[in-house]
Amino acid sequence: MQTELTDIPERAAAFVRSGGVVAFPTETVYGLGADVFNADAIAKIFEAKRRPADNPLIAHIGNLEQIGTLAVRTTAAADLLIDKFFPGPLTLVLEKVAEVPLIATAGLDTLGIRMPSGELAQRFLQACGTPVAAPSANVSGRPSPTTWEAVFEDLNGRIDCILKGDPTEIGLESTVVDCTEDVPTVLRAGAISIEDLRLVLPSIRLHDHSDSANARSPGMRHKHYAPLARVVIWDRNVEIFEQISAAFIGLKAPTGNVRLEKICDSVEEYARSVFAFFRECDHAGIETIYCERVGEEGLGAALMDRISRAAER
Ligand code: TXA
Ligand code: MG
């Protein structure tokens, strides 16, 4: 398959309208989208990414009215979150309508819904004229793509089109909140932090991911975000001895020598850079990536979640 590269959102949207799959930028990471109501098109997403069929997709919307075409109802809690955080890096899980095919939700009767805030994403979604089901646009298990070049590296020749935009602003995937029960639960940490959410919904809970019998977010079970290199979470004050095949990313240079180093000015910059740095390390043949531990407040919780998962293997 020939993959078309374009920076015109209307052109990329035409592929979605005719049942194709298109990568597009959002403020979090690039997504790989298809018409949420077209089961055949959605099957192509799973195939292109080699995504396990038990991992549900998020429906991306271009206007708030589309929520009514996807969810049976919203809840009072969901309405508060929509009011405060849409458009933005927040996904709400709601009870889905029958028209959304089960392949999109991996057989679940619930659906994740999100309205991205990026300007190009909005223009693209509006031109699609339909909600767009999209996971991150990486091959399953690999770091999520924060540049169109990363999408190209993973998916060139396997999808119809890449809508080229700037590197993504946030760099980590959206916060996922399950709103199907009385007390909403955070299933995945993201740039909308638990502290932000508590200001609107003081009773919101954090999902216990160690309780696998109760895996409400199936995607969290799968291996994730992994570069080829081994990822090690690094605590300041541990010396990294001269290592020719090691790399470091964090807020302050370590003592000792590594081959590749990315020192970030803030946790925001660290989050924005980490997935691209993982890919850069793979290109350079790095064997071990030391990632500095950060405090788990605000965006730090999402960043620690992603590097901890990358370190699991
Ligand atoms: O920022 C993002 O969320 C990006 C951009 C492209 O929007 N998308 C993204 O999609 O990260 P993906 O497929 O890589 O991650 C979706 C997450 C998974 O952990 C999945 O299990 C969870 O959302 N999820 C989706 N639908 C769900 C549902 N109905 N119930 C529970 N969890 C759900
Ligand atoms: Mg993903």
Side-chain angles (χ1 to χ4, degrees), residues 270-308:
Y270 187 173
R272 192 183 305 131
S273 313
V274 66
F275 287 146
F277 187 71
F278 283 176
R279 286 174 183 263
E280 184 187 339
C281 288
D282 282 350
H283 295 151
I286 295 291
E287 285 169 17
T288 308
I289 307 172
Y290 293 92
C291 297
E292 182 173 354
R293 186 187 299 281
V294 298
E296 299 200 18
E297 50 291 324
L299 186 60
L303 178 57
M304 284 309 297
D305 169 72
R306 304 309 190 274
I307 60 185
S308 306

Side-chain angles (χ1 to χ4, degrees), residues 49 51 136 138 144 224:
K49 292 194 39 129
R51 182 176 177 99
S136 50
N138 51 289
S144 295
H224 261 99

Side-chain angles (χ1 to χ4, degrees), residues 58-311:
I58 294 170
H60 294 69
I61 57 175
N63 61 63
L64 293 177
E65 290 67 50
Q66 286 177 334
I67 297 172
T69 69
L70 297 170
V72 173
R73 68 182 74 85
T74 59
T75 60
D79 287 338
L80 285 172
L81 296 175
I82 290 166
D83 208 46
K84 174 88 178 151
F85 298 113
F86 275 28
L90 178 67
T91 297
L92 300 182
V93 174
L94 294 167
E95 196 184 327
K96 80 170 187 69
V97 297
E99 288 76 13
V100 173
L102 285 168
I103 184 174
T105 62
L108 299 174
D109 53 14
T110 60
L111 174 68
I113 301 176
R114 161 164 133 75
M115 183 174 188
S117 64
E119 196 201 319
L120 202 56
Q122 278 300 318
R123 279 183 56 196
F124 166 72
L125 290 168
Q126 278 153 22
C128 288
T130 176
V132 170
S136 50
N138 51 289
V139 163
S140 243
R142 301 257 299 138
S144 295
T146 55
T147 62
W148 72 261
E149 290 92 342
V151 177
F152 185 86
E153 173 178 281
D154 276 18
L155 297 174
N156 181 38
R158 305 179 61 82
I159 61 178
D160 293 294
C161 178
I162 298 175
L163 174 58
K164 294 191 296 177
D166 292 331
T168 58
E169 226 174 279
I170 295 174
L172 302 179
E173 306 83 350
S174 62
T175 307
V176 179
V177 176
D178 184 346
C179 290
T180 59
E181 291 180 2
D182 290 343
V183 182
T185 306
V186 179
L187 300 179
R188 180 174 73 183
I192 306 289
S193 67
I194 183 76
E195 294 89 340
D196 298 332
L197 294 166
R198 283 213 170 105
L199 290 177
V200 180
L201 288 176
S203 65
I204 198 164
R205 278 192 308 222
L206 276 180
H207 183 57
D208 176 7
H209 290 290
S210 60
D211 182 3
S212 58
N214 184 25
R216 305 245 299 268
S217 190
M220 302 307 271
R221 284 197 301 263
H222 297 288
K223 185 161 114 56
H224 261 99
Y225 318 119
L228 300 172
R230 184 171 68 109
V231 171
V232 175
I233 296 178
W234 181 80
D235 289 288
R236 178 146 300 287
N237 73 33
V238 179
E239 182 161 1
I240 300 174
F241 291 102
E242 186 84 36
Q243 281 188 41
I244 194 70
S245 59
F248 172 85
I249 182 167
L251 298 172
K252 193 159 163 276
T255 44
N257 261 316
V258 292
R259 182 140 64 91
L260 268 185
E261 193 173 83
K262 169 87 186 157
I263 310 302
C264 307
D265 287 338
S266 60
V267 172
E268 283 70 24
E269 194 198 347
Y270 187 173
R272 192 183 305 131
S273 313
V274 66
F275 287 146
F277 187 71
F278 283 176
R279 286 174 183 263
E280 184 187 339
C281 288
D282 282 350
H283 295 151
I286 295 291
E287 285 169 17
T288 308
I289 307 172
Y290 293 92
C291 297
E292 182 173 354
R293 186 187 299 281
V294 298
E296 299 200 18
E297 50 291 324
L299 186 60
L303 178 57
M304 284 309 297
D305 169 72
R306 304 309 190 274
I307 60 185
S308 306
R309 282 171 204 284

